[in-house]
Amino acid sequence: MPKNLIPSFSGDVLRGIADVLGATDDGLTGSEIAHTLAQARVPDVDPTITKRHRLFKALAERQNKDQAGNCVVVFMNEAMSPVRYRDDPAGFSRRQGDLNEVLIFAAYHINDEGKVARLRNGKASTLDEAAKRASTIRTELRRRDTHPDVLRYCTTELLKKNNFHALLEASKSMPDRIRVMTGETSDGAELIQATVTPSSGPRLAINAGKTETDRSEQSGFANLIIGLLSLYRNPTAHDPQLHRSVSDEELLEALTTMSMVHRRLDHAAVPVSP
């Protein structure tokens, strides 16, 4: 038995760990699970079942036998060893963030060295608290229910923790989507003038357009998109990253606003072609 016993992880936390590391698409492969269990000296009790259930069963049985969580920590340390991710740093960041959303409920986290470490301020007790304290921007964006069309454009940059390029790629999502919805080929303010402004019809109407209030709202929506492109896409497209830093808070605020634009586009009326 280990001298420094780590308290057993609860069933929910253990299942969350297994769900992350045994995920169908983004988890360890079957052979990687077998190899990592062997490294951690955890018997692979049922290799015939699905990866997440296989992993949960193996860790749970060893933890129950030891009456301690040391085997789980050793397994995670092996699974998150940075050398495994030398060709896939984004994969490391993704798993680190996903595991931390689970481990925060047990007062642990995966640090940047790939090791399980204790959290100084203890465990989280609610989902909201966990999301606020987890160490990735992606976690907070999920908590805010950010529109998938925003995340689709910048997930790779978020996983690399590159705020500058995440903001640039996310800002491209708005004109790209408008071109798809309308068939227009222009860009920037010219595109918005031709599709969203009241004088364009509008070709993408966010309301009935019958009252002055409707027209004012439509105009404001068009100006908002133009403003976002001017504020976030154009400077980042032209300025070197060296001369422009993007804080976590600025990135969150910008992506949240872009998410709102996409939600209005979700319900925008598109004219039917003759």
Side-chain angles (χ1 to χ4, degrees):
M1 287 286 287
K3 293 182 179 179
N4 299 316
L5 293 182
I6 295 171
S8 295
F9 291 89
S10 71
D12 287 339
V13 170
L14 196 58
R15 194 170 298 281
I17 294 168
D19 285 347
V20 172
L21 294 177
T24 302
D25 296 323
D26 297 327
L28 300 170
T29 65
S31 59
E32 286 173 334
I33 288 175
H35 178 68
T36 309
L37 285 172
Q39 286 182 304
R41 297 183 179 179
V42 175
D44 192 358
V45 293
D46 193 350
T48 64
I49 56 179
T50 61
K51 291 191 298 179
R52 64 185 67 203
H53 292 119
R54 169 189 181 185
L55 192 49
F56 174 79
K57 189 171 183 179
L59 294 175
E61 289 198 13
R62 178 59 191 268
Q63 178 175 258
N64 289 340
K65 178 181 178 181
D66 293 347
Q67 290 297 293
N70 295 63
C71 65
V72 181
V73 170
V74 172
F75 179 85
M76 285 191 287
N77 286 344
E78 294 288 350
M80 293 303 296
S81 175
V83 70
R84 287 177 176 255
Y85 303 91
R86 59 190 180 277
D87 297 323
D88 186 20
F92 175 87
S93 295
R94 180 181 62 250
R95 283 185 188 160
Q96 180 189 34
D98 289 345
L99 282 171
N100 284 345
E101 290 180 41
V102 175
L103 291 175
I104 198 168
F105 289 101
Y108 291 97
H109 72 121
I110 303 291
N111 61 26
D112 289 339
E113 287 73 48
K115 298 295 185 183
V116 177
R118 281 194 173 275
L119 288 170
R120 292 181 181 179
N121 49 354
K123 66 181 180 180
S125 57
T126 67
L127 289 173
D128 189 60
E129 181 186 0
K132 287 180 179 178
R133 286 171 46 189
S135 60
T136 63
I137 292 292
R138 199 164 52 104
T139 302
E140 177 62 17
L141 289 170
R142 283 205 297 265
R143 189 182 75 85
R144 298 185 183 198
D145 194 25
T146 305
H147 195 283
D149 277 358
V150 175
L151 298 178
R152 185 164 58 89
Y153 276 76
C154 64
T155 292
T156 298
E157 288 70 29
L158 291 172
L159 291 172
K160 293 178 180 177
K161 298 182 180 180
N162 188 327
N163 289 3
F164 179 91
H165 284 109
L167 186 55
L168 173 60
E169 294 305 313
S171 65
K172 296 176 183 177
S173 67
M174 296 176 293
D176 238 23
R177 187 176 182 193
I178 290 170
R179 281 191 289 268
V180 170
M181 293 176 74
T182 63
E184 274 288 326
T185 58
S186 55
D187 192 25
E190 180 184 352
L191 172 67
I192 309 308
Q193 293 286 351
T195 57
V196 186
T197 57
S199 59
S200 72
R203 294 176 62 184
L204 287 176
I206 62 169
N207 55 45
K210 294 180 178 179
T211 67
E212 186 60 35
T213 298
D214 287 346
R215 289 187 287 274
S216 179
E217 182 185 36
Q218 184 75 38
S219 180
F221 183 61
N223 289 333
L224 173 63
I225 301 173
I226 292 172
L228 286 170
L229 293 176
S230 297
L231 186 60
Y232 294 119
R233 189 186 67 166
N234 298 347
T236 51
H238 296 107
D239 291 347
Q241 184 173 352
L242 177 66
H243 302 312
R244 179 176 169 82
S245 62
V246 178
S247 68
D248 288 354
E249 192 57 40
E250 180 182 4
L251 180 64
L252 285 170
E253 291 172 348
L255 297 192
T256 300
T257 306
M258 293 176 198
S259 177
M260 184 270 287
V261 169
H262 279 283
R263 294 203 189 286
R264 297 305 298 267
L265 290 174
D266 284 344
H267 303 288
V270 183
V272 179
S273 301

